[in-house]
Amino acid sequence: IQRQATEVKNVIAVLSGEGALAEETIVVGAHYDHVGRGGKGSLAPGSNDIHNGADDNASGTACLLEVARRLAARKEKLPRRVVLIAFTAEELGLFGSARYTKEPVFPLESTIAMLNMDMVGRLAGEKLIVYGTGTAPVWDGLLKTHGEPLGLQFSFKPEGFGPSDHSSFYAKNIPVLHFFTGNHNDYHRPSDDWDKLNLSGVDRVAELTEKLVVELAKTPERPKYLTVAGTANPLRDGTRPYFGSLPDFGVEEPGYALGGVAPG
């Protein structure tokens, strides 16, 4: 086996804070990598087609850029610093976010929260799944306050660990939220393309994220970190055993709810 290494980069933008809390940081992130022409990580065996990853995770990357645009357009600086990060190598194992938390640009001890957007492009039935709601006592109230006026209906999942970049921050005792609109038959396949996205839904996730960041930046008390047992597992890696089920993680009832099954 010949392993070929190359250097890839996280992309970071900073909106500086102003005032007594200016050295405290809120991180907003989304990964911008996908699985290229397939192979490892793809759920379309033998396909050499480009996997565009419109939902996973162009939707989150677009959301990140829109949040940055909204926050940068504010006339006054926020009290806390906002760091916006497009992470690389998430599909290979959260490499980009793990590298940032190992060598942070701004100290992790003064990083008060991390908001993550991964697969936010398929909002259906107004239902937004939010992981990490148990990692700080304030999350439930903040989400309901800012999300319900946007017509969003939440499915709260308390776990802080899960297969996306927020896990790297939760492992460092930082409260996290991970926004997710659910799995689908196009996951990690070439068919995950732009025409299947709910763009107004992406816009509402961006607006929700903006409102949460502004309130977090202005609230004097930082969110209190809580430990939550268990690990969320909303996605499947193509290298793991897989029999074709597509879980519906928005269902609160006991049992294993299916959102669909893969062809064949």
Side-chain angles (χ1 to χ4, degrees):
I1 298 175
Q2 292 183 338
R3 308 199 76 172
Q4 192 171 23
T6 187
E7 183 180 87
V8 290
K9 296 181 182 294
N10 292 328
V11 181
I12 302 176
V14 180
L15 293 170
S16 59
E18 187 173 68
L21 302 176
E23 292 306 312
E24 294 189 349
T25 299
I26 301 164
V27 172
V28 184
H31 76 89
Y32 73 89
D33 65 302
H34 197 45
V35 296
R37 289 189 176 272
K40 181 180 178 180
S42 171
L43 290 176
S47 173
N48 292 317
D49 294 337
I50 289 289
H51 291 50
N52 287 318
D55 187 26
D56 183 19
N57 188 34
S59 64
T61 307
C63 219
L64 180 69
L65 291 170
E66 174 63 7
V67 172
R69 185 193 69 80
R70 289 168 178 250
L71 294 176
R74 295 177 61 88
K75 293 181 179 180
E76 297 181 355
K77 289 184 177 181
L78 291 169
R80 288 185 171 96
R81 177 192 298 115
V82 181
V83 176
L84 303 115
I85 310 178
F87 294 109
T88 190
E90 187 271 351
E91 300 289 8
L92 290 175
L94 316 185
F95 288 178
S97 55
R99 177 65 177 268
Y100 181 87
T101 55
K102 182 179 179 181
E103 301 175 16
V105 176
F106 300 101
L108 295 184
E109 56 267 23
S110 58
T111 299
I112 71 161
M114 190 274 183
L115 308 183
N116 184 46
M117 297 164 289
D118 190 352
M119 295 181 65
V120 294
R122 300 283 192 104
L123 188 71
E126 312 302 323
K127 183 170 62 181
L128 180 64
I129 304 163
V130 187
Y131 289 89
T133 55
T135 65
V138 299
W139 287 148
D140 285 17
L142 286 179
L143 287 164
K144 290 175 181 176
T145 296
H146 295 294
E148 289 178 356
L150 296 174
L152 294 171
Q153 299 176 15
F154 293 110
S155 177
F156 288 165
K157 307 293 182 180
E159 298 88 354
F161 285 117
S164 192
D165 292 305
H166 60 289
S167 289
S168 298
F169 290 82
Y170 185 63
K172 301 295 184 180
N173 297 342
I174 295 169
V176 297
L177 290 176
H178 169 211
F179 302 121
F180 175 58
T181 54
N183 221 325
H184 46 76
N185 285 326
D186 304 304
Y187 173 69
H188 278 207
R189 293 178 173 86
S191 53
D192 180 12
D193 221 333
W194 66 271
D195 56 330
K196 297 177 180 178
L197 296 186
N198 178 348
L199 297 181
S200 65
V202 176
D203 185 65
R204 278 188 283 167
V205 174
E207 185 171 351
L208 171 66
T209 305
E210 175 204 12
K211 291 180 181 300
L212 290 172
V213 169
V214 170
E215 179 143 351
L216 287 169
K218 290 183 174 182
T219 303
E221 301 81 17
R222 54 192 293 174
K224 180 183 177 182
Y225 169 86
L226 296 177
T227 301
V228 182
T231 300
N233 189 26
L235 306 179
R236 300 164 315 283
D237 187 313
T239 63
R240 296 175 185 157
Y242 171 62
F243 63 89
S245 69
L246 293 171
D248 184 350
F249 291 97
V251 173
E252 304 285 353
E253 300 301 319
Y256 189 80
L258 293 180
V261 294

